[in-house]
């Protein structure tokens, strides 16, 4: 039976916009949640600075954003990255971005020139040694990312390290914390690997009990280390209240095609058959109407999950993996995981639940 006692309201911070600057990436990580064709087999698309500025101005007026977070693909591949940062600056906002670190030394002069608007950079890390990291990212990746850490530290740019919890990493979470501390990282964020295919789920993803154990270890590390340590995505949460900034209305996503969608983790998901998370095309619709549409999507997801958790409790059934995680629930009920049965199937139907080119 699910325990759903009231919890204090979560602080989701300020309102922000996540923007996919491009669809392409220079690395080829097998577990990446972005669509394979978009990353490697279609022409490169880059969000134009003037189009971004139009979106930002509208988003400031409509929902009061004060932060823009850039993703991709690999956002630093944008040929006008300097102009992108200038747009953020001239509109009085702050920004951050996630990167694999490969191009960091090349773009450092641009970052230094716009240091006043950048709150931090986030780096994806797959191992604390060259062999471990390069196994997933390719030869030379580890050396480049460590150099990027050094540049950040010397240039007084706070940086975060993002680590995917997989079968090859979940027993070494403390090693990642020690490594991040040695590198002088401002924070360390863990996140469960997303199930982009049955093969990825079988070989890399943890089961429900293992996830709970990993999350407890993350909580323990957060109490021990001085730097901020926490969970990003996929975490266990059976409270029916909105569990993330997207569902709570504090953030939304603009994809590389210029469309407003609910969440960056749903956007362009590998192997998906649905795009019900996409609210509108901002090239043809104003932000206010698009945001109203994405808000409806969020409310529908909240209601669907509340109904699912209520049904499990009513029928005294144990919570399953895809209902216990808000992230997995949204993936599962948005057409992103066509290879499995939906978690929204009524508990009454079975008592055997599943366990496991430029834009603008």
């Amino acid at each position: 039976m699910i325990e759903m006692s009231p919890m204090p309201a979560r602080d989701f911070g300020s309102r922000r916009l996540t923007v996919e600057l491009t669809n392409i990436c220079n690395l080829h990580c097998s577990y990446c949640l972005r669509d394979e064709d978009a990353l490697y087999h279609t022409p490169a698309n880059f969000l134009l600075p003037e189009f971004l500025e139009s979106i930002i101005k509208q988003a400031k007026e409509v929902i009061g954003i004060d932060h823009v977070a850039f993703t991709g693909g690999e956002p630093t591949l944008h040929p006008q990255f300097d102009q992108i940062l200038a747009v953020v600056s001239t509109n009085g906002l702050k920004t951050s971005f996630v990167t694999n670190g490969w191009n960091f030394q090349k773009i450092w002069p641009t970052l230094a020139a716009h240091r006043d608007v950048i709150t931090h950079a986030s780096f994806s890390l797959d191992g604390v040694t060259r062999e471990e990291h390069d196994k997933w990212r390719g030869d030379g990746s580890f050396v480049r990312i460590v150099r990027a850490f050094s540049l950040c530290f010397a240039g007084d740019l706070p940086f975060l390290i993002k680590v995917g919890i997989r079968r090859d990493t979940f027993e070494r979470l403390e090693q990642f914390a020690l490594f991040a501390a040695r590198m002088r990282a401002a924070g360390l964020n863990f996140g469960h690997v997303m199930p982009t295919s049955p093969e990825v789920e079988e070989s890399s993803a943890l089961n429900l009990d293992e996830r709970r154990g990993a999350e407890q270890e993350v909580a323990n590390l957060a109490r021990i280390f001085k730097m901020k340590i926490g969970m990003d995505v996929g975490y266990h949460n059976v409270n029916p209240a909105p569990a993330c900034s997207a569902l709570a209305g504090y953030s939304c996503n603009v994809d590389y095609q210029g469309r407003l969608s609910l969440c960056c983790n749903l956007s362009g998901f590998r192997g998906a058959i649905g795009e019900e998370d996409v609210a509108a095309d901002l090239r043809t619709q104003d932000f206010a109407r698009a945001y109203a549409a994405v808000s409806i999507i969020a409310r529908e997801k909240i209601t669907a999950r509340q109904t699912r958790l209520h049904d499990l409790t009513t029928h005294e059934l144990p919570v399953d993996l895809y209902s216990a995680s808000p992230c997995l629930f949204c993936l599962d009920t948005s057409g992103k995981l066509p290879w499995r049965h939906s978690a929204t199937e009524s508990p009454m139907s079975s008592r055997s639940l599943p366990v496991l080119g430029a834009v603008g």
Side-chain angles (χ1 to χ4, degrees):
M1 185 173 178
I2 305 173
E3 178 65 36
M4 294 198 299
S5 57
M7 293 176 63
R10 182 178 172 187
D11 180 12
F12 295 107
S14 58
R15 295 187 183 274
R16 59 195 180 275
L17 197 65
T18 303
V19 178
E20 300 169 23
L21 287 181
T22 182
N23 59 310
I24 62 170
C25 185
N26 56 304
L27 301 186
H28 201 270
C29 306
S30 60
Y31 58 82
C32 181
L33 58 81
R34 298 293 190 233
D35 181 68
E36 177 88 7
D37 287 337
L39 285 170
Y40 310 112
H41 306 302
T42 58
N45 282 266
F46 302 101
L47 215 65
L48 291 178
E50 53 267 32
F51 182 41
L52 174 65
E53 183 158 31
S54 173
I55 295 171
I56 284 177
K57 287 181 179 295
Q58 294 181 67
K60 281 184 65 178
E61 181 179 350
V62 175
I63 60 174
I65 65 165
D66 59 14
H67 192 101
V68 182
F70 292 121
T71 66
E74 170 55 45
T76 66
L77 292 177
H78 197 295
Q80 297 170 291
F81 198 59
D82 179 75
Q83 295 178 46
I84 292 293
L85 295 179
V87 166
V88 175
S89 179
T90 57
N91 283 277
L93 302 177
K94 296 295 185 180
T95 189
S96 59
F97 59 96
V98 60
T99 177
N100 56 40
W102 188 271
N103 298 313
F104 202 80
Q105 190 165 2
K106 179 180 179 181
I107 68 165
W108 179 252
T110 295
L111 300 179
H114 295 281
R115 174 64 188 86
D116 58 325
V117 300
I118 305 172
T119 60
H120 65 277
S122 295
F123 295 91
S124 302
L125 185 70
D126 282 301
V128 299
T129 66
R130 178 178 59 81
E131 291 77 15
E132 292 172 352
H133 184 73
D134 288 2
K135 173 184 176 182
W136 294 93
R137 300 267 166 170
D139 291 343
S141 294
F142 186 75
V143 170
R144 287 177 180 251
I145 201 171
V146 171
R147 287 175 179 168
F149 297 159
S150 298
L151 279 173
C152 287
F153 179 69
D156 194 29
L157 176 61
F159 67 95
L160 307 179
I161 293 177
K162 301 169 73 69
V163 175
I165 300 178
R166 304 184 302 261
R167 294 206 165 275
D168 63 308
T169 62
F170 88 105
E171 291 185 345
R172 302 203 309 280
L173 303 185
E174 183 178 358
Q175 293 179 28
F176 280 99
L178 289 168
F179 178 79
R182 288 200 302 270
M183 293 294 105
R184 309 291 182 87
L188 173 62
N189 292 333
F190 292 100
H192 292 293
V193 65
M194 295 289 99
T196 53
S197 70
E199 292 74 25
V200 168
E201 182 167 56
E202 177 66 26
S203 63
S204 295
L206 309 186
N207 63 33
L208 183 58
D209 290 338
E210 290 168 336
R211 285 170 180 257
R212 297 292 297 276
E215 290 165 24
Q216 183 59 58
E217 175 66 5
V218 172
N220 292 338
L221 294 172
R223 287 192 290 268
I224 297 170
F225 284 80
K226 292 182 179 180
M227 65 181 171
K228 184 178 180 180
I229 298 178
M231 288 292 301
D232 259 350
V233 297
Y235 51 84
H236 185 280
N237 184 345
V238 294
N239 188 278
C244 66
S245 61
L247 293 180
Y250 282 78
S251 69
C252 50
N253 181 71
V254 177
D255 70 15
Y256 69 90
Q257 300 178 70
R259 303 180 301 175
L260 190 70
S261 62
L262 180 62
C263 170
C264 62
N265 290 315
L266 296 174
S267 182
F269 198 82
R270 183 171 298 208
I273 60 172
E275 288 190 313
E276 65 179 65
D277 55 303
V278 176
D281 190 335
L282 294 174
R283 293 170 295 184
T284 59
Q285 190 168 100
D286 63 82
F287 190 90
R289 292 186 179 182
Y291 184 73
V294 87
S295 297
I296 292 173
I297 295 172
R299 287 196 297 270
E300 290 174 345
K301 288 298 171 193
I302 293 169
T303 300
R305 187 161 183 269
Q306 288 174 342
T307 299
R308 176 62 176 176
L309 293 172
H310 178 268
D311 287 348
L312 290 172
T313 299
T314 299
H315 299 291
E316 298 185 352
L317 294 173
V319 66
D320 61 284
L321 176 60
Y322 280 77
S323 298
S325 165
C327 294
L328 292 181
F329 185 86
C330 277
L331 285 171
D332 195 31
T333 57
S334 299
K336 307 299 180 179
L337 309 175
W339 43 270
R340 71 176 305 278
H341 296 296
S342 174
T344 55
E345 178 183 335
S346 170
M348 291 298 291
S349 64
S350 172
R351 294 189 65 87
S352 179
L353 298 177
V355 178
L356 280 170
V359 178

